[in-house]
């Protein structure tokens, strides 16, 4: 534990698996007291136990961020209580990704994806950012996606929600930055935990032709979140940091 975030408190939504879990672990490893949140209490307990076993400080708060303002406010209040009265770092990570095409998305699915991916972080930020400003400052890190800026023929619904999150990142930076709250985003490429030898994720094909030439790991994204949440990024505002193996920046053409 190096202590870059010693004395800080953090709330990570959707942190019982994958990127969220790795982020909670990384923040705790840097000294932050972390609230792990999600719907699954068993996985939340496991995530907290792993952090504590590594010498970190963490607690679990169950939360079903359905997009209602009430659900977001309830999580904000409980996390603030558990963290001793303040939240210094908010990571808006929770999201859902149903594999639909435009024609196959029904209205119920459309509303649910926007509720979880856009409304929930919107109202959670509204609940916590003013308190951060009143306490002297804070950092908010949103999770975007490369697919918001590099159009592909699937996932139009999901990509549009991540486009909204990236726009909110810039708007919130203008709104809260002058009040001491830095707002930035991380835009991951294809990311998943290691798979057994010879097994590939269907999304891995999207990383072919990139400088990295591989999918990312949850820890790759977590490291970027830690940087944006730390004082090292004190002059970074309203930025979307691409951590995507070069997916949106460069194409590798092989002769």
């Amino acid at each position: 534990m190096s202590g870059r975030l010693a004395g800080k408190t953090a709330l990570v939504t959707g942190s019982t698996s994958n990127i969220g879990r790795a982020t909670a672990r990384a923040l705790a490893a840097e000294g932050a007291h972390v609230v792990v949140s999600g719907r699954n209490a068993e996985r939340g307990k496991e995530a907290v136990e792993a952090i504590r076993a590594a010498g970190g400080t963490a607690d679990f708060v169950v939360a079903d961020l359905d997009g209602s303002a009430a659900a977001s406010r309830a999580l904000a209040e409980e996390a603030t209580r558990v963290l001793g009265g303040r939240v210094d770092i908010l990571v808006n990570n929770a999201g859902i990704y149903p594999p639909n095409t435009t024609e196959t998305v029904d209205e119920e699915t459309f509303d649910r994806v926007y509720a979880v991916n856009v409304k929930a972080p919107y109202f959670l930020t509204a609940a916590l950012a003013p308190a951060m400003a009143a306490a002297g400052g804070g950092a908010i890190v949103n999770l975007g996606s490369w697919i918001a800026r590099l159009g592909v023929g699937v996932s139009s619904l999901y990509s549009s929600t991540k486009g909204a999150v990236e726009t909110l990142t810039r708007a919130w930076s203008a709104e809260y930055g002058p009040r001491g709250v830095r707002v930035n985003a991380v835009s991951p490429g294809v990311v998943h935990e290691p798979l057994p030898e010879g097994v590939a994720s269907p999304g891995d094909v999207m990383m072919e032709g990139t400088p990295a030439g591989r999918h990312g790991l949850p820890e790759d994204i977590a490291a970027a979140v830690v940087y944006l949440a730390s004082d090292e990024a004190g002059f970074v505002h309203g930025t979307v940091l691409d951590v995507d193996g070069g997916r949106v920046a460069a194409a590798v053409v092989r002769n």
Side-chain angles (χ1 to χ4, degrees):
M1 298 179 68
S2 65
R4 281 192 289 169
L5 300 174
K8 301 291 187 180
T9 62
L11 166 61
V12 185
T13 67
S15 48
T16 61
S17 64
N18 204 20
I19 291 173
R21 182 173 59 192
T23 297
R25 187 166 56 239
L27 292 169
E30 292 293 342
H33 179 180
V34 179
V35 160
V36 172
S37 72
R39 292 175 295 179
N40 190 307
E42 182 177 350
R43 290 195 308 185
K45 180 182 178 181
E46 291 172 354
V48 166
E49 289 177 347
I51 289 172
R52 291 176 178 173
T57 304
D59 292 282
F60 175 69
V61 173
V62 66
D64 184 2
L65 295 176
D66 58 6
S68 66
S72 290
R73 289 170 186 151
L75 174 57
E77 291 173 3
E78 182 61 10
T80 298
R81 185 192 68 79
V82 169
L83 292 172
R86 75 180 200 279
V87 176
D88 300 314
I89 299 163
L90 167 63
V91 182
N92 284 312
N93 168 75
I96 55 175
Y97 177 70
N100 301 103
T101 61
T102 299
E103 298 103 87
T104 60
V105 172
D106 56 32
E107 186 173 7
E108 180 181 358
T109 299
F110 186 100
D111 290 343
R112 182 167 59 90
V113 174
Y114 262 85
V116 175
N117 293 5
V118 182
K119 285 183 67 179
Y122 187 97
F123 287 113
L124 190 55
T125 297
L128 288 174
M132 289 181 180
I140 297 172
V141 183
N142 300 318
L143 268 292
S145 173
W146 67 273
I147 206 171
R149 279 169 291 133
L150 182 63
V152 297
V154 294
S155 304
S156 60
L157 176 59
Y158 175 80
S159 64
S160 70
T161 66
K162 290 304 181 179
V165 167
E166 293 191 1
T167 297
L168 285 170
T169 296
R170 292 183 284 270
W172 285 336
S173 180
E175 185 174 0
Y176 294 111
R179 298 164 63 184
V181 180
R182 293 185 303 103
V183 185
N184 293 286
V186 175
S187 179
V190 175
V191 172
H192 56 77
E193 295 176 344
L195 298 173
E197 186 72 25
V199 177
S201 167
D204 288 353
V205 67
M206 299 304 301
M207 298 306 291
E208 295 178 5
T210 65
R214 65 168 178 85
H215 70 82
L217 299 173
E219 290 74 16
D220 296 323
I221 311 307
V225 174
V226 168
Y227 163 68
L228 290 174
S230 74
D231 291 341
E232 294 173 8
F235 199 51
V236 182
H237 291 260
T239 291
V240 178
L241 178 58
D242 293 317
V243 187
D244 62 0
R247 175 70 280 174
V248 301
V252 176
V253 179
R254 304 191 186 279
N255 295 324

